[in-house]
Amino acid sequence: QMNNATLKAQLGNAAWKLFHTILARYPDKPSVQERNTLSQYIQLFGQIYPCGDCARHFQKLLKKYPPQTSSRKTAALWGCDIHNKVNERLSKPEYDCTTILEDYDCGCGEDEKEADR
Ligand code: FAD
């Protein structure tokens, strides 16, 4: 059994990976429904995140910096910025957000082309 700090860090890595990957695959031109879905997903993620202290603090950040859902780039940059707020609180280095979309390529770009056919 690994120690609590290691387990908490692993959970954070996995959660952030999924979080940023979802934002990097979000539509360029989302519909109203897609925008609502993303907003709700992020709010619920903040409520259900299993480290209680983290969740409480993240909910405060969401109030101060509400999710930006108008486009893929906007959403991905918002996600990068809010992760940087968490980094700042934990005294971790600031992440360079300029290549955020490339950084979280899920290898599923072909799926969109399939859907267009
Ligand atoms: P992580 O922060 O887990 O990041 C993983 C990888 O993502 C990094 O190696 C880097 O490649 C990349 N990355 C780093 N910054 C960014 C960014 N801004 N945008 C995109 N990619 C980036 N831990 C606590 O101890 N206290 C807390 O209050 C707390 N709150 C959290 C709240 C949430 C919502 C989440 C998801 C996690 C929280 N954590 C908290 C965990 C913490 O954020 C880290 O995941 C954990 O400390 C491990 O850090 P890490 O250095 O491995 O990198």
Side-chain angles (χ1 to χ4, degrees):
Q1 178 74 14
M2 280 171 289
N3 70 43
N4 284 344
T6 305
L7 292 168
K8 200 167 159 182
Q10 285 184 344
L11 173 65
N13 284 178
W16 285 125
K17 173 89 178 178
L18 178 61
F19 183 82
H20 293 300
T21 306
I22 285 172
L23 296 179
R25 295 306 304 164
Y26 180 68
D28 281 323
K29 292 179 181 155
S31 64
V32 171
Q33 198 193 328
E34 284 167 330
R35 294 186 64 170
N36 285 335
T37 301
L38 184 64
S39 290
Q40 285 177 42
Y41 179 83
I42 293 166
Q43 296 294 343
L44 293 171
F45 169 79
Q47 290 175 40
I48 211 167
Y49 192 72
C51 151
D53 224 38
C54 309
R56 243 185 324 277
H57 196 264
F58 194 66
Q59 284 171 43
K60 279 192 197 150
L61 283 177
L62 289 178
K63 273 213 186 100
K64 200 165 171 192
Y65 308 102
Q68 291 182 19
T69 62
S70 61
S71 71
R72 170 179 293 180
K73 186 88 200 207
T74 305
L77 284 175
W78 169 85
C80 193
D81 288 341
I82 205 154
H83 188 170
N84 272 334
K85 301 282 180 209
V86 175
N87 288 344
E88 192 184 332
R89 191 169 88 94
L90 301 177
S91 306
K92 289 177 189 288
E94 183 180 334
Y95 187 84
D96 176 3
C97 296
T98 51
T99 56
I100 188 75
L101 294 180
E102 290 84 355
D103 296 348
Y104 289 90
D105 181 354
C106 60
C108 20
E110 284 299 307
D111 298 358
E112 265 178 9
K113 286 179 204 150
E114 291 281 340
D116 287 344
R117 267 182 219 144

